[in-house]
Amino acid sequence: MTRPDASRTDPWSSGQVTVTRTGEDPRRWWGLVVIALAQLMVVLDATIVNIALPSAQQDLGMSDANRQWVITAYTLAFGGLLLLGGRIADLVGRKRTFMIGLVGFAAASALGGAATGSGMLFAARALQGVFAAVLAPSALSLLTTTFTDPKERGKAFGIYGALAGSGSAIGFIVGGLLTEYLNWRWCLYVNVPIAVIAFFGALVLLHDRPGHAGARLDVPGVLLGCGGLVAIVYGFSEAQPRGWSDPLVLTLLFGGVVLLTAFVWWQSRAPMPLLPLHIVKDRNRAGCFLTMGLAVIGMFGLFLFMTYYLQVVLAYSPVRTGLAFLPMTAAIIVGSTQISARLMNRVAPRMLMVPGMVLAASGMVILTQMTVDSSYTTEILPALLLMGLGMGLTFMPVFSTATAGVAPQDSGVTSATVNTSQQVGGSIGTALLNTIATTSSTAYITAHLANPAQKALVVKEGVVHGYTVAIWWAAGIMLLAGLIAGLMVTAKPPRHQAPAADAPARTATA
């Protein structure tokens, strides 16, 4: 029998909340399964098509210059529209936008799987990103409002953080299996049954308050913010074939900075801003946003280079390549659920985030020593384990700390900002590090190609050299993330946090 609701102080919010005693409502954990399933689908879809990309390129006749848009169309739409998706979740209601996002994502996935040309596939991937931008912040907001008890919240965020961190690696495994044994199209079709299960689960298990119908969307903020992000990421992408000094690249990068500056200016004056600046001005949240963005730059770069290294240099099959990432996935889960979740209520978040980034950077440094004939067991595997453990230690406290103490009307946009930093970091990391790797490879091959008979070996060595140079940059970026976490994230453990004395009393049913 469920006990009556009780009003008590919630250390994760800024005032009083009325909560149903969730300790006697087991359905909330099934609701967590639904939320986690949807989040896993969104995250793994950023990488699941990587291994399938060569087959899709050959089947649809894509050029080498255009094939990147299969990845970039998704991450650009996802990262660029997440702030809008978070605000829509606040206005319309999280459960409603969660279910709309599931339906739209499934439809876009089916469209991409049935693509008859490259343009159709690019459009479907962009459409996936649009609905993912609605789905992801709704999922995190529902998680935030469902689990209000600090102890249970730690466990829930541990599971969520593990899926958010390992979803990309899981995408490589699933992509390898589907590509090798079925068809590249199934890397998109697989989302349909997952979305259907999550939809009916949400219909039965999830609950939420109605949205704020009287509010309005910040259209100028959408145009300025999304336009700035798209320009910067597109500029990084074009730097690879055109060069950093190309007028178009410089125009895109400069224009993106100008648009984002205008976005910040407008948000301080807009009557209903897309991103209320008080969310970003909070020192702990700003530190979490920066840490997440920088960490994912290195993580996405690792996935890109290791996939090509294993398949092209070491001649692994798609399935074997996917399985090679499995130890890293396991390390992420262990770091998130068995270490971070257990220590989150006892130690300050930065005491997990800083060591996590140092471990991840150490794994990167090990990878800089790889050659054209490195051993997976003795040289690659230890690096992947360190990377996974470090990211697992970092993801859980980042997600939890960034969304702590947020008013209900801002929970959606705050969740969206966390995901935005993740997706934009991934987009920038893929474009930026790939440009660094390609430039370094070209310079190495030009300098060492003296004997035409050794061209094949020199080219392979040049490719690996480019990867290692880019990985050095990724290691430095991860150390910078650890430094930012150590200096900016000063929050205490949740059990030691006191509610704000001047916070207005609020009543909400979780």
Side-chain angles (χ1 to χ4, degrees):
M1 180 176 180
T2 303
R3 297 179 186 177
D5 294 352
S7 179
R8 62 175 176 81
T9 298
D10 174 18
W12 295 95
S13 302
S14 55
Q16 297 288 328
V17 294
T18 299
V19 298
T20 301
R21 294 184 182 272
T22 57
E24 299 184 20
D25 183 12
R27 293 202 310 170
R28 74 198 182 285
W29 292 106
W30 285 108
L32 173 62
V33 172
V34 172
I35 295 171
L37 189 64
Q39 177 66 13
L40 176 63
M41 179 181 68
V42 168
V43 174
L44 68 84
D45 223 72
T47 57
I48 192 173
V49 299
N50 276 271
I51 295 178
L53 188 54
S55 299
Q57 179 182 1
Q58 183 178 4
D59 191 18
L60 300 180
M62 283 182 275
S63 67
D64 290 343
N66 290 333
R67 65 185 179 186
Q68 64 165 330
W69 288 106
V70 176
I71 308 298
T72 310
Y74 179 80
T75 55
L76 276 178
F78 193 0
L81 295 174
L82 264 170
L83 289 175
L84 175 63
R87 184 52 73 192
I88 290 175
D90 286 334
L91 300 182
V92 178
R94 289 93 181 181
K95 179 179 177 179
R96 186 178 300 175
T97 54
F98 183 80
M99 297 174 70
I100 291 173
L102 286 170
V103 172
F105 199 90
S109 299
L111 179 67
T116 56
S118 59
M120 184 176 176
L121 180 58
F122 299 158
R125 289 287 288 168
L127 197 59
Q128 277 186 309
V130 170
F131 284 104
V134 175
L135 182 59
S138 302
L140 188 54
S141 295
L142 287 169
L143 181 65
T144 302
T145 56
T146 299
F147 293 91
T148 57
D149 181 82
K151 185 176 181 180
E152 289 191 347
R153 184 184 175 97
K155 294 179 181 178
F157 269 96
I159 296 172
Y160 183 90
L163 289 173
S166 62
S168 298
I170 293 174
F172 285 113
I173 298 172
V174 175
L177 291 171
L178 294 176
T179 301
E180 187 159 336
Y181 294 111
L182 290 175
N183 185 288
W184 68 266
R185 298 178 183 275
W186 281 96
C187 291
L188 295 164
Y189 286 143
V190 70
N191 293 318
V192 177
I194 296 176
V196 170
I197 294 172
F199 179 87
F200 286 105
L203 190 65
V204 175
L205 298 170
L206 298 182
H207 305 281
D208 187 39
R209 300 181 308 278
H212 305 278
R216 300 188 307 272
L217 292 177
D218 177 18
V219 177
V222 173
L223 296 177
L224 291 172
C226 295
L229 292 174
V230 169
I232 289 177
V233 175
Y234 185 50
F236 279 126
S237 300
E238 288 297 306
Q240 177 188 353
R242 295 175 178 269
W244 290 103
S245 60
D246 183 82
L248 176 61
V249 173
L250 295 176
T251 300
L252 287 170
L253 296 178
F254 179 75
V257 172
V258 171
L259 287 174
L260 290 181
T261 302
F263 170 78
V264 174
W265 173 84
W266 171 251
Q267 294 307 284
S268 65
R269 291 161 175 77
M272 299 195 68
L274 181 67
L275 175 61
L277 293 184
H278 66 265
I279 292 177
V280 182
K281 288 180 180 178
D282 180 90
R283 177 173 181 162
N284 291 301
R285 275 194 286 274
C288 288
F289 298 152
L290 288 173
T291 300
M292 173 62 80
L294 292 171
V296 175
I297 286 178
M299 187 177 181
F300 268 55
L302 175 75
F303 288 151
L304 175 68
F305 300 136
M306 292 311 300
T307 299
Y308 278 95
Y309 176 77
L310 293 172
Q311 288 198 63
V312 177
V313 179
L314 298 186
Y316 279 24
S317 68
V319 170
R320 191 179 179 188
T321 300
L323 292 176
F325 285 101
L326 191 57
M328 181 179 178
T329 303
I332 291 176
I333 294 174
V334 170
S336 184
T337 63
Q338 301 304 311
I339 301 179
S340 283
R342 294 176 184 271
L343 296 178
M344 187 63 192
N345 286 329
R346 302 179 182 180
V347 302
R350 63 178 172 181
M351 297 303 293
L352 297 171
M353 296 161 64
V354 174
M357 287 293 89
V358 172
L359 281 176
S362 300
M364 287 284 195
V365 171
I366 293 176
L367 285 178
T368 61
Q369 307 305 309
M370 66 185 184
T371 64
V372 294
D373 55 359
S374 292
S375 168
Y376 174 81
T377 305
T378 60
E379 299 177 64
I380 306 301
L381 180 59
L384 294 181
L385 290 175
L386 286 175
M387 273 286 299
L389 189 62
M391 300 304 287
L393 284 173
T394 303
F395 276 129
M396 186 268 185
V398 165
F399 276 117
S400 186
T401 305
T403 56
V406 180
Q409 65 269 21
D410 290 329
S411 64
V413 70
T414 304
S415 304
T417 308
V418 180
N419 282 283
T420 295
S421 63
Q422 189 177 20
Q423 293 301 318
V424 172
S427 300
I428 293 175
T430 301
L432 176 61
L433 295 180
N434 190 52
T435 298
I436 293 173
T438 304
T439 304
S440 300
S441 296
T442 302
Y444 181 94
I445 294 170
T446 302
H448 291 78
L449 189 58
N451 186 356
Q454 296 181 336
K455 181 178 179 179
L457 177 61
V458 172
V459 169
K460 186 177 289 188
E461 290 176 344
V463 169
V464 175
H465 172 76
Y467 294 164
T468 58
V469 171
I471 291 173
W472 272 116
W473 279 84
I477 292 172
M478 288 206 165
L479 288 177
L480 177 60
L483 179 63
I484 289 175
L487 295 177
M488 295 187 64
V489 183
T490 58
K492 298 178 180 179
R495 60 164 43 169
H496 299 306
Q497 288 182 358
D502 59 345
R506 293 180 287 104
T507 300
T509 301

